[in-house]
Amino acid sequence: MDFSFNETQQMLRDTLARYLADTYDFDTRRKWIAGEAGRDPGIWRALATELGILGAPFAEAHGGLGGGAVENMIVMEQLGEAIAIEPYLQTVVIGGGALKAVGGAVADSVIPQIIAGDAVIAFAYAEPQGRYELSNLRTTARRDGAGWVLNGHKAVVYGAPWATHLLVTARTGGGQRDADGIGLFLVEANRPGIVRRDYPTVDGFRASEVYFEQCAVGAEALLGGEGDALPLIEQVVDEAVAALCAEATGVMRRLHTGTMDYAKQRKQFGRAIADFQVLQHRLVDMFMEVEQAVSMTLMATLRLGLPAAERSAAVSQAKARIGRGLRFTGQSAVQIHGGIGITDELAIGHYFKRATMIEGQFGSVDHHLARYEALALAD
């Protein structure tokens, strides 16, 4: 099997890498994070209009480049190398992925807005009691004439302060943990009845606690059928986890190269610490973790089109393995740097923070190991 990128994919990777190298240096990122908005909206606009990156996984009929999951993987790896605080995962991978799967008038309307950089989507799925269980929902959607009324609380909604739309999971029927009775809604973020409490996250993003208080939405807000959205949500989350693994490979690569560069400069006993064999072994182990992460991410991405059980097993296998690799690579980087490795002034500490957050995002190592075991032994 040929795993090489085609000419268009290579061009996509090179173009984004050059752009990020020119505009997304560490000091500039720190300045954006410290600002009131937490980001520079001009970067998102440039990704849309100057580079056309936001259209990479969408069909040409919607104005995209005709790509798919592999293009998302390429973009996410480059964003990981820059620890970019752009809502590509939430907007393009998750929001765009759900709209592509559902189709229809809403998709025809919103996908071109995503490609143009006019729409930013945040995925409001997590609830305080839910852990990583997608069907454990207390947020409700109650029929009200032709439309719906949403009530509930969504926790740690990444990118919500910047969002124009919220992609919301809510229970239209059944019990709190039932697989049936779940709906997926696309709601304008400024809708009456939506209250946010915004805050910065440790890895430089912005997130919100989102409260729906008698929030009325139209019938068109419901994506897909009533009460049968869980398979779609699981598919979208699997695609998100694969993309997150790609981001992790970029983060891990920078943790390794940054630590190797430091070890070649830092001297002890008159020699660079990279000369010591024990540290050489540690750096090689970090490199091996990076290469394994690249391979497992590619394999998980290529299996996203398989039936649900095989797809989910491949994704959980990759996330569990890469989660361990993230922890080893991040902790090794900090240990070799010493105390300076966790200071705000050094980039390596920011990569470590992002690695730590990715490790738990959409499921910890233990969660994905248990999920993989359940799926693999199901037969």
Side-chain angles (χ1 to χ4, degrees), residues 21-365:
D22 291 340
T23 61
Y24 230 103
D25 62 87
F26 173 64
D27 290 333
T28 303
R29 178 183 180 275
R30 281 185 68 202
K31 184 179 69 177
W32 291 335
I33 290 173
E36 184 177 353
R39 65 192 275 256
D40 179 2
I43 296 295
W44 188 252
R45 181 67 61 186
L47 292 176
T49 57
E50 294 179 23
L51 279 70
I53 296 295
L54 304 188
F58 295 111
E60 294 177 2
H62 283 131
L65 302 181
V70 173
E71 281 70 18
N72 278 335
M73 180 189 73
I74 292 169
V75 172
M76 287 297 294
E77 181 175 352
Q78 295 306 314
L79 294 177
E81 288 210 27
I83 44 173
I85 45 174
E86 304 304 319
Y88 186 90
L89 177 71
Q90 294 77 17
T91 301
V92 178
V93 178
I94 299 175
L99 289 167
K100 282 198 300 183
V102 172
V106 175
D108 292 341
S109 170
V110 178
I111 288 177
Q113 294 178 45
I114 294 174
I115 295 172
D118 294 330
V120 174
I121 298 175
F123 186 31
Y125 76 102
E127 299 188 4
Q129 83 290 344
R131 294 286 292 169
Y132 307 121
E133 192 180 349
L134 297 173
S135 61
N136 190 340
L137 298 174
R138 290 178 179 166
T139 299
T140 60
R142 174 176 50 82
R143 272 202 174 277
D144 183 29
W148 299 87
V149 174
L150 302 180
N151 282 286
H153 169 206
K154 295 296 183 179
V156 198
V157 183
Y158 260 63
W162 309 324
T164 59
H165 297 76
L166 298 174
L167 187 64
V168 186
T169 60
R171 186 160 289 289
T172 59
Q176 181 179 322
R177 295 188 174 187
D178 288 351
D180 295 327
I182 296 175
L184 185 63
F185 296 83
L186 186 67
V187 181
E188 296 94 336
N190 59 357
R191 199 94 184 164
I194 296 177
V195 177
R196 290 196 334 259
R197 180 169 62 81
D198 303 338
Y199 47 85
T201 59
V202 70
D203 54 349
F205 276 80
R206 296 293 171 94
S208 304
E209 301 298 298
V210 180
Y211 301 89
F212 297 91
E213 300 173 351
Q214 298 293 328
C215 175
V217 299
E220 72 284 356
L222 178 64
L223 302 182
E226 177 182 345
D228 60 358
L230 185 59
L232 169 62
I233 295 166
E234 291 175 337
Q235 174 189 329
V236 168
V237 170
D238 279 344
E239 292 170 355
V241 172
L244 201 61
C245 289
E247 183 186 358
T249 64
V251 172
M252 292 168 69
R253 182 172 286 111
R254 286 303 184 95
L255 282 166
H256 172 249
T257 56
T259 304
M260 189 166 58
D261 291 343
Y262 176 79
K264 289 177 180 177
Q265 298 171 10
R266 179 79 167 93
K267 292 189 175 181
Q268 283 285 355
F269 310 111
R271 301 168 60 186
I273 62 174
D275 291 341
F276 298 116
Q277 194 173 42
V278 66
L279 292 188
Q280 292 174 0
H281 288 172
R282 181 69 72 91
L283 288 165
V284 169
D285 289 342
M286 292 173 68
F287 175 76
M288 293 299 295
E289 292 290 349
V290 176
E291 292 304 305
Q292 287 187 58
V294 170
S295 298
M296 296 205 68
T297 297
L298 179 58
M299 191 58 67
T301 301
L302 295 179
R303 291 182 175 177
L304 287 175
L306 295 179
E310 296 176 62
R311 177 198 72 215
S312 297
V315 167
S316 282
Q317 187 180 31
K319 183 64 162 58
R321 186 66 191 84
I322 291 171
R324 286 184 172 176
L326 279 166
R327 180 175 299 183
F328 175 81
T329 310
Q331 291 181 351
S332 296
V334 169
Q335 288 163 8
I336 292 175
H337 275 80
I340 195 174
I342 54 173
T343 58
D344 192 57
E345 289 75 18
L346 203 65
I348 211 74
H350 293 256
Y351 282 95
F352 174 70
K353 291 174 183 176
R354 183 60 192 141
T356 303
M357 293 299 282
I358 291 175
E359 188 184 336
Q361 206 166 348
F362 291 111
S364 64
V365 169

